[in-house]
Amino acid sequence: MTAEEFIPFNLKSTVKNGEIKWASPSNIALVKYWGKKEHQIPENQSISFTLSDCKTITKLKYEAKTKTTNSFDFQVYLDGERKPDFEPKIEVFFNRIQQYFPFLKTLKFTIETENTFPHSSGIASSASGMSALALCLMSIEKQLNPEITESYFNKKASFIARLGSGSACRSIQGDLVVWGAHNEIENSSDLYGVKYPYQVHDNFKNYQDTILLVDKGEKQVSSTVGHNLMHGHPFAKQRFKQANNNISEIKNILKSGDLKAFIALVESEALTLHAMMMTSMPYFILMKPNTLEIINKIWSFRKATNLNICFTLDAGANVHILYPEKEKEQILEFIKTQLVAYCQNGHYICDTVGLGAKKM
Ligand code: PMV
């Protein structure tokens, strides 16, 4: 599909007042998206696990404006508290998506949002937050045009979420999502995420992700700044090629269930993401001493036990520990006894790879 095909032309009625609520999950990339072109088009393909428990729940209330104005009218609340500082980001988002939702300026919105994970945890809520809002807006479109198919609904929700935050387009469906056109992934697109369409070995069913909160502070580098660092980066071309190859490689791994190969690919991707940041200009080190302590402990434990534990990282210091469900007991014990000491205030979050967003 092309972007133009998401511009609705046959909306039948006008919107009635109402409210809509969606819960949308966070996701963790296995092959990382880092670098984008104009209009949030990724420089490379990525694939992620959908996290079933780290979610944003957004209620969107809407009523017809008494007078049509040429501006957006909305207020944002987090946990019941008005958040004017969130509004500029939503304003930018609404500006980007207004051509796809002609009703945006005719309505007055109240966006009430909450996260199932602590706001101050340092876990990015933009993927779950932007996808939840995109889904709410899609539900309004569906009211106006009940004939749209589920497939179109999901594609457009992902397309819209992408315009809020790139990785948000991978938060509509579960449990593995690919974003970025790749010649070995049927129907993959730069415009939206698609559910991974091939066979996945049982080893990866209900995969576990324990997130160790090493640093709960504000992000040192915003995603926008981060992605821009890939423009003119000396290793950019090679990196984008590597991501492309890693998508082909992970396809084989997901089929065969080869956990050792999975570990090597996932950890290499995490360290490559950070290597890109360390070698850009300006350069950043987003890992903290405790990030490295945790990584070293994981490596020693893996060597000693041969269990299939591995780590991945986002653009920050927190560590996602990934492991198969059947090794859960031993690995959680290791985390609790040996790794929690490296977390800020001992905080960590246990999650399971699972289903996508849900209407509530
Ligand atoms: O969605 P953004 O623009 O915040 O980018 C997120 C990029 C990473 O989380 C670092 C990697 C990824 O693919 O999710």
Side-chain angles (χ1 to χ4, degrees), residues 27 29 31-34 36 46 126 165-168 170 219 223 227 273 314-315:
N27 69 74
V31 174
K32 308 286 179 183
Y33 149 58
W34 200 240
K36 63 179 170 187
S46 57
S126 62
S165 169
S167 59
R170 299 189 312 241
K219 277 201 200 174
S223 288
H227 291 293
L273 170 70
D314 265 337

Side-chain angles (χ1 to χ4, degrees), residues 37-134:
K37 302 175 198 161
E38 249 197 310
H39 308 300
Q40 306 268 100
I41 296 298
E43 288 277 12
N44 67 266
Q45 306 85 350
S46 57
I47 182 167
S48 54
F49 272 150
T50 308
L51 299 178
S52 46
D53 293 331
C54 287
K55 285 183 289 207
T56 297
I57 299 163
T58 296
K59 185 198 274 183
L60 184 68
K61 295 182 182 163
Y62 50 93
E63 55 184 275
K65 279 185 191 171
T66 41
K67 270 203 298 233
T68 310
T69 60
N70 198 27
S71 56
F72 301 115
D73 189 346
F74 65 89
Q75 291 189 340
V76 183
Y77 292 80
L78 175 68
D79 300 326
E81 205 182 303
R82 175 93 194 269
K83 288 279 172 192
D85 48 325
F86 283 23
E87 288 165 14
K89 203 172 171 191
I90 303 292
E91 180 83 27
V92 171
F93 178 50
F94 276 12
N95 265 308
R96 280 190 198 150
I97 62 174
Q98 65 165 326
Q99 61 171 313
Y100 304 105
F101 292 129
F103 52 80
L104 271 188
K105 281 187 179 163
T106 69
L107 297 173
K108 184 175 168 222
F109 296 101
T110 307
I111 303 164
E112 293 176 6
T113 191
E114 60 189 88
N115 296 318
T116 59
F117 47 90
H119 179 60
S120 59
S121 62
I123 298 186
S125 55
S126 62
S128 51
M130 285 300 180
S131 53
L133 184 53

Side-chain angles (χ1 to χ4, degrees), residues 34 36 89 126 218-229 277 284 286 315:
W34 200 240
K36 63 179 170 187
K89 203 172 171 191
S126 62
E218 281 286 304
K219 277 201 200 174
Q220 250 186 66
V221 184
S222 75
S223 288
T224 311
V225 171
H227 291 293
N228 281 337
L229 295 172
M277 290 183 234
F284 297 94
L286 299 186

